Amino acid sequence: MSSVQAAVARAHRLEWALVLAATVRVTRDLGLAEECVQDAYTAALTEWTRTGVPAKPGAWLTTAARHNALDVLRRSKTLRSKLHLLVEPEEAAEPAQDDRLRLVFLCCHPALAVEAQVALTLRLVCGVSTPAIADAFLVSESTMAARLTRAKKKIAAAGIPFRLPRPGELPDRLDAVLTVIHLAFTAGHTAAAGPSLTDDDLAGRAVDLARLLGALLPKEREVRGLLALLLANAARRASRTGPDGELLRLSEQDRSAWDQDLIAEADRLVVGALRGGRPGRFALQAAIALLHATAPAYEDTDWSQILVLYGELTRVWPSPVVALNRAVALSMADGPAAALTEVEQLEGDDRLSGYHYLPAVKADLLDRLGRPAEAAVAYERALALAGNDAERAFLRARLAGTGRQSPHSARNCPPPVP
């Protein structure tokens, strides 16, 4: 990769949302703005090779994208109505910070389904390509392209404004934004399918987005909680797989390879997120992740405290996935028998019918209880549902080893991510 290509790639990663948001402010049309920004990035490859990388790549790209929009609008009947927007003072070409936040809230508008919110945020805010989003959602590129187009048309047809939510709207709207970022990170932290356990680029973009939101809304406790959660999990990235890409359990990971700077940053953030009232779901999840990340050794994990936090999380966010995570913690604190009862109750919840972590956890508990035949059946069920090759290899190895671990073993399945 040449230095110019690297500069454009860096600008794409860091400036995409900023440039697009500033262009949307002019066009008031997501599709048109996206095309103009794409053309600006393409032009940068040629122009920067000829003239050098500008001192402010984001400003260069914003100006180029706005000029592209001007050219398009000149040829359209909307020029008259848009003209006053296109003659802003030169300094207005510097994109406003709030524009990116407006773009995030626009993509996560409650008029859109959650899946559409996630896909649109990944495309427009994070700049992830349509094929990459399609891979993450396990659909074809054409299906995802059609889904994105429908979402943009719905925004246009409904006349959803490009503005920040009013103060009274913010709590509900912010929760949707945080949920979308968390879902994007989760999809990258453990890929739904494919040969690799992770999609580091997708997870990294979600972290970038959480950082952006943290910079724009520094006083929001749940924003701090979400960023802390993502950083605490991202800190373990280098040790989650072995030399051949195989999944390593928490107990097998090399803690010396964990990124201590990220853990320290997450620790500072979670302290702020837990202060000032009852903590929210992201702050509680972050606190749990930090207990794992700061334990000197796996054997030193404070499972009792984690169990307490899961109890509070269950009250704040009564999700069956949280209940399953709590059962894992319960098994580590009080033994597998009590946890198995709770897991079997969750089997009646249709929302977990396709969730492979449920039979995987059940299999582990049964094996620890000395019931290998039942454990094997549960592992087979988990294998039938899992789509990621690394996880499937892990489950096959566990199936092959069924009955070989001590009933009192502290080994556990990789905990599901709530």
Side-chain angles (χ1 to χ4, degrees):
M1 180 182 291
S2 69
S3 60
V4 169
Q5 289 173 324
V8 173
R10 176 178 171 78
H12 186 273
R13 182 180 179 87
L14 298 179
E15 311 278 6
W16 170 274
L18 193 145
V19 177
L20 179 64
T23 310
V24 170
R25 181 150 55 98
V26 171
T27 65
R28 297 295 195 269
D29 182 319
L30 275 174
L32 173 58
E34 187 182 0
E35 291 175 11
C36 294
V37 172
Q38 285 176 327
D39 289 345
Y41 275 92
T42 301
L45 281 171
T46 303
E47 286 299 310
W48 295 4
T49 299
R50 186 172 62 83
T51 62
V53 177
K56 295 181 178 181
W60 189 98
L61 288 161
T62 300
T63 300
R66 289 163 63 94
H67 285 168
N68 292 340
L70 176 61
D71 290 341
V72 172
L73 291 173
R74 275 199 183 107
R75 297 191 296 269
S76 75
K77 295 179 180 178
T78 58
L79 176 60
R80 186 183 301 275
S81 60
K82 302 291 185 182
L83 191 58
H84 68 287
L85 296 169
L86 299 171
V87 293
E88 293 179 29
E90 189 62 29
E91 58 271 22
E94 289 289 338
Q97 291 291 315
D98 279 354
D99 279 349
R100 289 182 294 182
L101 194 54
R102 290 189 184 98
L103 186 61
V104 173
F105 278 104
L106 183 66
C107 293
C108 300
H109 194 279
L112 302 174
V114 171
E115 194 172 63
Q117 292 176 4
V118 177
L120 206 58
T121 302
L122 291 175
R123 177 71 199 109
L124 298 184
V125 182
C126 298
V128 180
S129 69
T130 300
I133 301 172
D135 287 343
F137 279 81
L138 305 180
V139 298
S140 68
E141 181 181 347
S142 59
T143 297
M144 180 51 66
R147 192 173 296 173
L148 288 165
T149 298
R150 283 197 300 273
K152 284 183 279 192
K153 285 183 176 178
K154 188 168 187 177
I155 288 175
I160 297 172
F162 184 58
R163 65 165 176 78
L164 293 176
R166 298 185 178 90
E169 300 172 324
L170 189 58
D172 289 341
R173 296 287 304 279
L174 181 58
D175 187 68
V177 171
L178 298 177
T179 298
V180 164
I181 297 173
H182 185 221
L183 287 173
F185 179 83
T186 301
H189 190 61
T190 302
S196 301
L197 179 65
T198 64
D199 181 340
D200 291 339
D201 183 62
L202 182 57
R205 288 178 185 273
V207 171
D208 289 344
L209 190 52
R211 286 192 183 281
L212 168 64
L213 202 62
L216 296 171
L217 298 171
K219 295 181 180 178
E220 291 291 338
R221 293 166 58 211
E222 276 292 83
V223 174
R224 295 179 190 171
L226 175 68
L227 181 55
L229 173 62
L230 303 196
L231 294 179
N233 284 321
R236 297 191 290 104
R237 181 179 56 191
S239 63
R240 293 182 64 222
T241 54
D244 296 321
E246 70 274 23
L247 185 155
L248 297 179
R249 292 168 291 187
L250 200 58
S251 59
E252 300 168 328
Q253 294 177 15
D254 177 8
R255 292 179 181 237
S256 68
W258 291 1
D259 190 323
Q260 295 302 318
D261 289 339
L262 290 185
I263 292 173
E265 183 181 358
D267 195 49
R268 289 192 298 272
L269 286 164
V270 82
V271 169
L274 292 172
R275 286 177 178 163
R278 189 174 186 176
R281 62 179 169 120
F282 291 111
L284 288 167
Q285 290 180 79
I288 292 168
L290 260 298
L291 282 175
H292 286 297
T294 56
Y298 181 76
E299 293 73 19
D300 299 322
T301 304
D302 189 347
W303 289 107
S304 296
Q305 183 62 28
I306 289 173
L307 187 59
V308 170
L309 289 168
Y310 269 122
E312 180 62 18
L313 182 59
T314 302
R315 284 185 282 278
V316 171
W317 189 31
S319 150
V321 175
V322 172
L324 183 60
N325 279 276
R326 183 188 174 282
V328 172
L330 178 64
S331 78
M332 303 309 295
D334 297 341
L340 181 61
T341 300
E342 298 200 2
V343 169
E344 288 175 335
Q345 290 175 349
L346 288 170
E347 288 181 304
D349 193 320
D350 291 341
R351 292 172 292 179
L352 295 181
S353 61
Y355 196 58
H356 70 280
Y357 288 119
L358 177 60
V361 169
K362 182 180 181 181
D364 179 73
L365 297 176
L366 287 167
D367 204 23
R368 288 163 60 189
L369 287 166
R371 296 159 61 178
E374 295 168 86
V377 172
Y379 273 129
E380 292 281 8
R381 172 65 178 161
L383 267 168
L385 294 174
N388 182 279
D389 291 351
E391 288 192 315
R392 289 179 57 79
F394 170 81
L395 290 168
R396 277 194 293 270
R398 296 284 288 179
L399 174 61
T402 299
R404 296 178 189 171
Q405 66 173 310
S406 163
H408 304 294
S409 170
R411 295 174 181 174
N412 66 311
C413 287
V417 180

